[in-house]
């Protein structure tokens, strides 16, 4: 189960690809953070924000989790409003629990 609830039918091919990649990360924590962030925000992101999101998604999941949780300092290159929105995003775990019942 991916947890995905949003249809990608109304998205262009770039956004569909990002949505898929957001839900199919290396570790489940990043699936939940990036996947649900993408479901909520993807349609409204500008091209520049999509570029930045794709750059962020090229990073290792373990590094992303450490930066988001504050376990390691965030590299200056990611001290951006978009990364801040991703780091502040809190997945809805209740929704996922209901799907598994």
């Amino acid at each position: 189960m991916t947890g995905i609830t949003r249809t990608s039918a109304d998205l262009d091919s770039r956004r569909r690809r990002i949505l898929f990649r957001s839900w199919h990360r290396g570790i489940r924590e990043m699936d939940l953070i990036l996947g649900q962030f993408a479901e909520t925000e993807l349609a409204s992101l500008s091209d520049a924000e999509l570029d930045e999101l794709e750059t962020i998604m090229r990073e290792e999941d373990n590094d992303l989790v450490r930066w988001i949780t504050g376990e390691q300092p965030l590299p200056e290159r990611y001290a951006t409003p978009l990364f801040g929105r991703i780091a502040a995003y809190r997945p809805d775990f209740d929704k996922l629990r209901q799907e598994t019942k």
Side-chain angles (χ1 to χ4, degrees):
M1 171 185 298
T2 64
I4 194 167
T5 58
R6 185 196 198 291
T7 179
S8 62
D10 62 331
L11 298 176
D12 59 67
S13 61
R14 182 182 189 191
R15 284 179 170 81
R16 280 195 302 269
R17 184 177 59 253
I18 292 170
L19 180 62
F20 180 85
R21 288 179 47 220
S22 295
W23 276 112
H24 296 85
R25 305 294 303 173
I27 59 176
R28 187 65 174 151
E29 292 85 353
M30 288 313 301
D31 287 352
L32 296 172
I33 293 169
L34 284 177
Q36 289 186 26
F37 175 84
E39 281 194 25
T40 304
E41 305 285 333
L42 195 60
S44 64
L45 295 180
S46 69
D47 286 339
E49 289 172 319
L50 291 175
D51 291 343
E52 183 180 346
L53 180 57
E54 288 177 318
T55 299
I56 291 167
M57 290 175 62
R58 284 193 285 272
E59 293 291 343
E60 293 292 325
D61 284 337
N62 289 320
D63 291 335
L64 289 171
V65 168
R66 289 182 189 110
W67 298 333
I68 288 171
T69 62
E71 184 181 330
Q72 289 185 349
L74 180 65
E76 186 64 31
R77 69 184 178 275
Y78 292 129
T80 65
L82 180 65
F83 195 94
R85 286 169 50 201
I86 293 168
Y89 191 77
R90 297 295 176 249
D92 183 358
F93 293 106
D94 290 333
K95 183 170 57 172
L96 294 173
R97 283 188 206 110
Q98 290 172 355
E99 291 176 6
T100 60
K101 289 182 180 178

